[in-house]
Amino acid sequence: MWRPLLMLALSLTLPRTQATASDVDAVARLVQQDFARCGQQVTLSRPLSLAAMQRFQGFTVSQALEQQHYRPYRARGMSLTYHGDLKGLAGALSGRCADRLGYTEFGLSTDTQTVHIIAATPARVDLNQTGRWLAEFLAVTNKARFQGQKCGGKLMNSAPPLTWDARLAGAAARHASDMVRLNFRGHVNPQDRGRAQQRAERLGFRGVVGENIQYGAISPQEAVKQLLTSPEHCENLMDARWKLFGGAVANGTADTLFSTYWIQVFGTER
């Protein structure tokens, strides 16, 4: 589900004149055209552009990507000289197809002296195996409940295993899809103000519902491990009153806050 990170941190130098939005757009178009000549289609990514901006604060590429919660399969910077000469920049960009292969997104940021560009391919969950990942999501959750946990300073005893529930899974899938579509984080849908309880009830569930969300993991094991590091999420996962479980996983896009979204919905029927 993941690959080693391939990374080269470099920068693109600009003159001291202030860069305008049109300068950025022109450079972005050149980058896209250069990748296209090599048979690669790349999308301008907001998280990568924010990571490129953090390069001005002294962050390495890996540090900047981590700050943006962007987990790459591979990432690379490009080092080129640019003095307002777009034709010269286009020439400098060309002829390097060996360095363009395997990337799907890029980010760009400028100040009065420098432009930083990061090209990357994000780590993703293979959604062709969604059934497998969700079965493992339930199994890993039940294993954690069986083992008992220390949630912050609170010891939680072993809890009974959960059973898969299609209604709760549907509520989880809907929320995952909406978080990607509307690009938000958290338990409340900003469009309809719905919460996990309302989402489950719309699908016919009658009872009490709880929800955990994890961002950025690339396996169910990692998602549960990260949830257990948060006392609140850990206590929710270990709550002995829960009997039923539904889960979902979704990949983000070039413009979303996170690369992956994992959701646990717990429930007990009345």
Side-chain angles (χ1 to χ4, degrees), residues 3-19:
R3 300 291 186 275
L5 173 62
L6 308 176
M7 187 172 294
L8 179 61
L10 300 166
S11 64
L12 175 65
T13 303
L14 279 176
R16 291 183 178 274
T17 55
Q18 185 173 1

Side-chain angles (χ1 to χ4, degrees), residues 86-150:
L86 291 173
K87 184 176 180 180
L89 178 60
L93 279 167
S94 66
R96 301 186 180 185
C97 284
D99 295 333
R100 304 292 185 259
L101 301 180
Y103 298 101
T104 60
E105 303 175 354
F106 76 100
L108 168 70
S109 183
T110 74
D111 66 359
T112 59
Q113 301 182 40
T114 303
V115 169
H116 290 293
I117 298 174
I118 302 173
T121 297
R124 292 285 193 247
V125 177
D126 181 1
L127 296 182
N128 290 323
Q129 301 186 61
T130 297
R132 170 190 168 187
W133 306 140
L134 295 183
E136 289 187 11
F137 203 17
L138 173 59
V140 176
T141 299
N142 279 335
K143 181 179 179 180
R145 286 170 62 87
F146 174 77
Q147 292 173 332
Q149 302 293 327
K150 184 177 182 181

Side-chain angles (χ1 to χ4, degrees), residues 3 20 33 36 41 50 64 83 99-100 113 120 147 162 200 226 236 238 255 257 265 270:
R3 300 291 186 275
T20 65
Q33 291 166 4
Q41 300 298 317
L50 292 174
H83 295 291
D99 295 333
R100 304 292 185 259
Q113 301 182 40
Q147 292 173 332
L162 305 170
Q226 292 299 319
N236 197 25
M238 292 299 299
D255 296 318
L257 295 169
V265 179
R270 293 192 182 94

